[in-house]
Amino acid sequence: MPVPPGEQNPVAQEPADRDPWGPPQAGPAASHWHPYPAPMPQARNGMGVTALVLGIIGVVLGLAVVLFWVSWLPALLAVVFGFVGLSHARKGLATNRAMALAGVILGGAGLLISAGVGVFAAVVVKKTADDVRAKAVEVKESAAAEDEKKKAEEKARHLSFGQSYTFGNGLKVTVAELQPFTPDDYVFGHAKGNKAVEVTVTVVNTGTERVSVETGLPSVNDAKGASAELVIDGSGRQKVITGYVLPGKEMVGKYAFSLPPDAADKAEVEFSPDAKRWPDAYWSGPTS
């Protein structure tokens, strides 16, 4: 049976007249083999990319005033990695020279920004500290001045009998030297053996408008600091200051107080035309 064409294995036919003992015939020329080209080394672009990223981070952190103190590190690393990337590019090991150069530039800019912001922050902090110190000194001096003013006002309100003190409402008050007072037979607030004294208070309106006297009754302390009793009798000699004092006019009040024998040599009189608005002034001195 004939062999199918696909399964035929043709055999080279030799010429019938070929000498079997002769040299073999030359066959077809052998084809030449071409080797594959050697693979190119992979580009080392990591340094340039890292330098660019770190440079951007350094600039951004430098512009953020509160983070400038950490921006110098990524900026410095960007410069270092950028120079390494440029070196690789010069040697042909990297293809992103522009990226590495941008990283160096951004890193340098980040360092400059960090230094500039640091100087600016130092100046601002120093100015703020100076302002705070100056404000503290000003407050201290103001408090000291206010304290001195209060002391001066307090001292001005302590007078001797016969001197005058002008209150903020324009009323000028004078307490005269104390005089002996003899109560009549019908008296309240005076014990037998005590010393009764008369207190005379003169109020003059130095302003241009009438002023009301809200508290026209003085208080008296004896030499031991104890409050003396107000003496009330039927003589009608006591007179309480009350009502309005017209501009340029004066009102005179007369009061009697009883002092114990062992503390009757000195007394202090307190008086204010309006105790709710003006603190008391004090007059002191001997009772005779």
Side-chain angles (χ1 to χ4, degrees):
M1 291 180 66
V3 179
E7 295 182 5
Q8 293 181 358
N9 186 13
V11 180
Q13 299 292 327
E14 293 184 1
D17 59 349
R18 178 180 176 273
D19 184 4
W21 306 104
Q25 285 184 341
S31 62
H32 295 283
W33 177 77
H34 298 284
Y36 290 103
M40 293 292 293
Q42 188 175 2
R44 299 168 62 180
N45 294 334
M47 289 295 178
V49 174
T50 304
L52 180 61
V53 173
L54 290 175
I56 294 173
I57 293 174
V59 170
V60 172
L61 292 179
L63 293 176
V65 178
V66 295
L67 298 175
F68 76 94
W69 55 277
V70 296
S71 65
W72 66 271
L73 182 58
L76 179 60
L77 292 177
V79 173
V80 174
F81 291 159
F83 277 119
V84 174
L86 289 176
S87 176
H88 288 175
R90 282 195 300 269
K91 295 176 181 179
L93 302 178
T95 59
N96 60 345
R97 181 180 182 279
M99 190 176 292
L101 181 60
V104 172
I105 294 173
L106 289 175
L111 289 175
L112 292 177
I113 292 173
S114 177
V117 175
V119 173
F120 174 76
V123 172
V124 171
V125 169
K126 183 178 183 302
K127 185 178 184 303
T128 302
D130 292 342
D131 291 343
V132 170
R133 282 194 293 266
K135 186 66 176 179
V137 172
E138 182 181 351
V139 170
K140 186 177 180 180
E141 291 178 351
S142 177
E146 186 68 21
D147 188 52
E148 289 295 326
K149 181 181 178 181
K150 289 182 179 179
K151 289 181 179 179
E153 291 177 352
E154 181 70 19
K155 184 178 180 181
R157 293 202 310 272
H158 286 76
L159 308 102
S160 299
F161 290 136
Q163 293 181 325
S164 301
Y165 179 79
T166 302
F167 289 87
N169 56 3
L171 293 182
K172 180 180 178 182
V173 178
T174 305
V175 177
E177 294 183 359
L178 303 187
Q179 301 295 325
F181 181 83
T182 303
D184 62 9
D185 295 335
Y186 301 98
V187 60
F188 295 94
H190 180 66
K192 187 176 180 181
N194 283 7
K195 180 179 180 179
V197 293
E198 184 180 66
V199 178
T200 302
V201 179
T202 303
V203 177
V204 179
N205 186 353
T206 62
T208 58
E209 297 180 358
R210 68 176 189 171
V211 180
S212 174
V213 178
E214 300 294 337
T215 52
L217 186 67
S219 60
V220 177
N221 300 321
D222 59 25
K224 292 184 177 181
S227 297
E229 269 194 273
L230 179 66
V231 176
I232 300 175
D233 66 358
S235 64
R237 289 172 289 176
Q238 292 91 344
K239 183 181 179 181
V240 178
I241 298 175
T242 185
Y244 288 94
V245 183
L246 298 178
K249 302 298 182 178
E250 72 174 24
M251 295 181 69
V252 179
K254 292 182 177 293
Y255 314 87
F257 289 87
S258 179
L259 303 175
D262 58 344
D265 58 333
K266 186 177 180 180
E268 180 182 67
V269 178
E270 300 179 27
F271 182 82
S272 173
D274 189 347
K276 294 181 179 179
R277 295 183 59 193
W278 313 108
D280 287 335
Y282 304 86
W283 288 262
S284 60
T287 57
S288 59

